[in-house]
């Protein structure tokens, strides 16, 4: 039997879409714009870092980051993100969402700037400093995942909650796009002012000294959108669900939401106490949590883990895939700045044609189709496209077929974003109890980042040519791009299977999904 819902929560569930919803999307979403910019802009400049700091005299190819250094530069931010997701997820349930929301943003601002100020007398000291600040950048980014998702879910109404949470996450698409566009603009300006010959013409002269400023500028600009929204984050009131159900302050919750919704709301402190009864006070490691939400947590963590293996291995290393099929010219035929421009142009095209539209298709359809259907559809199409790319891989490497490869590759991005990349973010913010919501979202997101580490590190080695003579310098022979794509297809298929553990939350209140308004213990 269900308890009678608090008036303040009913008001939120049934509220019409208002200006405060869009304000919350923008305030939370700009954090994700920054998150995506900071996470993916490093892939735009890793080849440049190799040319600047690891040039080898007499080599026929430009310098590249050694395997260990490349893994550290690309992966340390994920270690920080995973740590931040767990820590701030837990802290958001202990102290409240609002109290720690500004801290995550400030970490991003400071560490974005410091990443670009990574100086040193040796390549090792520069890379070490860069990795240090990118770890703490990731720590701040990690905190944004559970806090933004939880805040948006607790502010939203039942009817459009999925779209609002997905819209926050969809700002990632604009962050990836923004990073690519900015890199194109800045590299074009540098090329116009500091033109240089190709590497094969002049190995040393192809990397002008000014190129050392280019990567620093690209990394530092990530601080700007975060800084612009810092003040507004501090002005947001605590969510009514945390205030009423966790902090047990129904009067404050009613007061805050009366101002936000511009209606009179009765506090109902006695009714709020019903939600604090022993049946709803079970902990994360209790048998009751295991029986109610154990399979749900397994579903959200496993699907996010599997999705991110595939998603990040594609996204971070798409420049290598484009080179392998000949869409990017050989590195030695370009100078350092032109190479940044070409990589940024390729990634921007993918973001514009598939990544961004995929996110917003989810926003448009998630409250019509439901989370389960979109996630199942996304994993299914990703599986099919991966196998279509992998099985006749030699066909796609022929010059006349390269555009077809890029189209199919783009479609995998489209259906990851109009699919599990969005839904794995939305669902954990809806199906767990208020006092564990941020923690469980953080755990689910951390599983995703563990998958991102597996995908990005694994792909560095797996995608290497099977012929040792044709591998990148310092890498052992791998299984090749074709077999790597086959592995990703299998991973996506496993995502289909684990999706069946995730419940549908379309059109239901958060308390209905979490069982908090149920009077009887399971």
């Amino acid at each position: 039997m269900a308890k009678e819902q608090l008036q303040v929560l009913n008001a939120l569930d049934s509220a019409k879409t208002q200006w405060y919803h869009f304000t919350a999307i923008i305030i939370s979403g700009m954090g994700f714009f920054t998150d995506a910019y900071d996470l993916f802009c490093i892939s735009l400049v890793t080849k440049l870092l190799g040319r600047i700091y690891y040039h080898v005299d007499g080599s026929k190819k430009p310098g590249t980051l050694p395997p260990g250094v490349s893994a550290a530069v690309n992966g340390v931010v994920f270690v920080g993100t995973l740590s931040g997701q767990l820590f701030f997820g837990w802290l958001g349930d202990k102290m409240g969402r609002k109290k720690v929301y500004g801290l995550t943003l400030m970490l991003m601002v400071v560490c974005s700037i410091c990443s670009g100020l990574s100086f040193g007398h040796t390549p090792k000291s520069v890379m070490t400093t860069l990795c240090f600040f990118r770890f703490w950048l990731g720590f701040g980014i990690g905190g944004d995942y559970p806090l933004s998702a939880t805040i948006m879910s607790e502010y939203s109404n039942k009817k459009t909650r999925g779209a609002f949470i997905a819209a926050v996450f969809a700002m990632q698409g604009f962050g990836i796009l923004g990073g690519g566009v900015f890199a194109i603009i800045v590299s074009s300006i540098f090329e116009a002012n500091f033109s240089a010959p190709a590497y094969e013409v002049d190995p040393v002269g192809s990397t002008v000294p000014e190129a050392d400023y280019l990567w620093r500028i690209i990394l530092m600009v990530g601080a700007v959108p975060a800084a612009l929204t810092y003040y507004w984050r501090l002005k947001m009131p605590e969510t009514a669900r945390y205030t009423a159900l966790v902090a047990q302050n129904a009067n404050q919750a009613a007061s805050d939401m009366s101002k936000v919704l511009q209606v009179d709301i009765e506090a109902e402190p006695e009714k709020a106490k019903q939600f604090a009864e022993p049946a709803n006070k079970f902990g994360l490691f209790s048998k009751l949590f295991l029986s109610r939400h154990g399979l749900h947590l397994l579903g959200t963590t496993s699907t996010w883990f599997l999705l991110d293996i595939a998603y990040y291995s594609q996204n971070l290393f798409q420049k290598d895939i484009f080179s392998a099929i000949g869409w990017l010219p050989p590195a030695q035929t370009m100078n350092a700045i032109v190479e940044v421009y070409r990589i940024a142009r390729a990634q921007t095209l993918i973001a514009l044609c598939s990544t961004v539209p995929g996110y917003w298709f989810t926003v448009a359809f998630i409250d019509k189709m439901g989370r389960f259907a979109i996630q199942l559809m996304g994993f299914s199409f990703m599986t099919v496209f991966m196998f279509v790319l992998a099985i006749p891989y030699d066909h796609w490497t022929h010059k006349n077929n390269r555009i077809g490869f890029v189209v199919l590759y783009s479609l995998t991005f489209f259906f990851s974003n109009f699919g599990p990349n969005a839904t794995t973010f939305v669902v954990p913010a809806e199906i767990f109890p208020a006092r564990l919501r941020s923690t469980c979202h953080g755990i689910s997101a951390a599983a995703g980042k563990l998958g991102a580490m597996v995908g990005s590190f694994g792909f560095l080695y797996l995608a290497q040519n099977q012929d040792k003579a044709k591998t990148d310098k310092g890498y052992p022979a791998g299984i090749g791009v074709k077999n790597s794509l086959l592995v990703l297809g299998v991973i996506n298929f496993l995502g289909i299977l684990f999706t069946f553990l995730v419940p549908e939350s379309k059109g239901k209140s958060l308390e209905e999904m979490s069982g908090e308004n149920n009077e009887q213990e399971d």
Side-chain angles (χ1 to χ4, degrees):
M1 182 178 170
K3 298 187 187 83
E4 190 180 346
Q5 184 75 302
L6 286 171
Q7 190 183 112
V8 65
L9 304 187
N10 263 333
L12 283 167
D13 281 341
S14 58
K16 292 180 180 178
T17 301
Q18 299 176 33
W19 179 246
Y20 85 88
H21 287 122
F22 294 109
T23 304
I25 289 170
I26 293 167
I27 294 170
S28 301
M30 286 311 290
F32 270 89
F33 180 98
T34 305
D35 295 349
Y37 182 101
D38 288 330
L39 281 175
F40 293 109
C41 68
I42 195 69
S43 67
L44 298 172
V45 298
T46 47
K47 298 250 182 182
L48 178 59
L49 291 172
R51 284 184 183 244
I52 295 171
Y53 295 106
Y54 293 92
H55 170 73
V56 178
D57 288 331
S59 173
K60 292 182 179 180
K61 292 183 178 181
T64 57
L65 296 179
V69 175
S70 182
V73 169
N74 282 300
V76 71
V77 70
F78 294 140
V79 179
T81 303
L82 187 153
S83 306
Q85 285 163 336
L86 293 173
F87 177 73
F88 285 111
W90 168 79
L91 202 62
D93 283 333
K94 289 295 178 186
M95 293 179 61
R97 293 61 159 126
K98 172 187 162 62
K99 285 184 180 176
V100 291
Y101 204 30
L103 179 60
T104 61
L105 206 66
M106 191 46 61
L107 260 175
M108 283 189 263
V109 171
V110 172
C111 293
S112 289
I113 294 169
C114 290
S115 293
L117 298 175
S118 300
F119 294 108
H121 295 294
T122 63
K124 184 178 179 181
S125 60
V126 174
M127 294 301 123
T128 302
T129 311
L130 177 62
C131 287
F132 174 81
F133 287 117
R134 282 192 65 80
F135 171 84
W136 289 107
L137 171 65
F139 196 69
I141 288 172
D144 226 45
Y145 275 72
L147 294 173
S148 289
T150 302
I151 285 171
M152 200 65 238
S153 74
E154 293 181 346
Y155 263 111
S156 301
N157 59 50
K158 285 194 295 187
K159 188 178 179 183
T160 55
R161 186 179 62 236
F164 289 155
I165 304 172
V168 169
F169 195 62
M171 292 300 286
Q172 273 200 338
F174 289 127
I176 297 168
L177 186 62
V181 169
F182 182 74
I184 288 171
I185 293 169
V186 178
S187 57
S188 297
I189 293 170
F190 270 67
E191 176 61 15
N193 289 280
F194 312 109
S195 186
Y199 182 87
E200 60 189 3
V201 176
D202 183 356
V204 176
S206 67
T207 305
V208 295
E210 290 80 7
D212 194 42
Y213 294 107
L214 178 59
W215 71 268
R216 298 177 187 277
I217 292 169
I218 291 172
L219 295 188
M220 290 170 73
V221 164
V224 175
L228 291 175
T229 52
Y230 180 71
Y231 170 78
W232 298 107
R233 281 202 178 187
L234 297 182
K235 297 287 286 182
M236 286 179 80
E238 182 58 85
T239 71
R241 283 183 160 90
Y242 182 86
T243 307
L245 302 181
V246 183
Q248 291 292 296
N249 190 342
N251 291 326
Q252 186 64 49
S255 173
D256 288 343
M257 291 307 105
S258 292
K259 293 173 186 174
V260 169
L261 297 173
Q262 297 180 328
V263 294
D264 291 327
I265 299 174
E266 188 181 340
E268 303 177 302
E270 291 304 315
K271 196 187 288 185
K273 289 178 182 176
Q274 296 175 19
F275 287 85
E277 289 173 356
N280 281 323
K281 282 194 169 179
F282 54 86
L284 182 65
F285 301 104
S286 66
K287 288 182 179 178
L288 196 53
F289 178 86
L290 189 64
S291 66
R292 286 190 180 185
H293 301 291
L295 285 177
H296 297 163
L297 189 59
L298 176 62
T300 58
T301 51
S302 58
T303 51
W304 208 335
F305 172 76
L306 293 165
L307 176 275
D308 272 8
I309 292 176
Y311 187 79
Y312 279 86
S313 63
Q314 293 173 103
N315 217 331
L316 280 173
F317 301 103
Q318 59 185 241
K319 61 182 184 295
D320 297 314
I321 291 173
F322 289 143
S323 295
I325 64 161
W327 216 49
L328 286 174
Q332 62 269 25
T333 64
M334 300 180 281
N335 66 41
I337 293 171
V338 167
E339 187 175 36
V340 172
Y341 172 84
R342 290 293 186 95
I343 293 168
R345 190 177 67 175
Q347 289 199 187
T348 302
L349 188 63
I350 291 292
L352 192 62
C353 297
S354 62
T355 308
V356 173
Y359 279 119
W360 291 98
F361 264 73
T362 301
V363 174
F365 291 105
I366 192 167
D367 289 310
K368 296 180 177 70
M369 293 174 61
R371 289 73 164 144
F372 178 83
I374 287 178
Q375 185 161 309
L376 198 64
M377 175 193 71
F379 269 129
S380 299
F381 276 114
M382 288 170 70
T383 303
V384 170
F385 288 131
M386 277 298 169
F387 286 133
V388 170
L389 286 172
I391 293 169
Y393 180 71
D394 293 337
H395 166 81
W396 299 117
T397 58
H398 297 137
K399 192 169 185 179
N400 293 338
N401 304 324
R402 287 170 183 167
I403 296 300
F405 182 97
V406 173
V407 169
L408 286 171
Y409 184 73
S410 298
L411 283 171
T412 64
F413 270 107
F414 176 81
F415 282 106
S416 64
N417 292 310
F418 182 30
N421 193 38
T423 54
T424 51
F425 177 80
V426 173
V427 175
E430 299 181 305
I431 64 177
F432 298 108
R435 74 189 177 289
L436 297 172
R437 186 169 291 134
S438 180
T439 302
C440 290
H441 194 285
I443 292 169
S444 303
K449 280 298 166 284
L450 189 61
M453 284 189 265
V454 171
S456 52
F457 292 142
F459 204 78
L460 268 172
Y461 293 88
L462 282 179
Q464 292 297 320
N465 200 293
Q466 291 172 291
D467 182 352
K468 180 71 174 74
K470 296 180 181 179
T471 63
D472 291 338
K473 185 184 174 185
Y475 287 90
I479 63 173
V481 175
K482 174 179 178 173
N483 291 328
S484 297
L485 292 171
L486 284 170
V487 170
L488 293 177
V490 172
I491 287 167
N492 289 325
F493 179 73
L494 291 175
I496 295 173
L497 302 181
F498 279 98
T499 294
F500 287 93
L501 296 176
V502 180
E504 180 57 72
S505 51
K506 182 181 78 169
K508 298 177 181 177
S509 74
L510 296 179
E511 289 67 43
E512 187 180 352
M513 285 305 303
S514 66
E516 285 169 290
N517 61 356
N518 197 333
E519 287 185 351
Q520 297 176 349
E521 290 189 36
D522 290 356

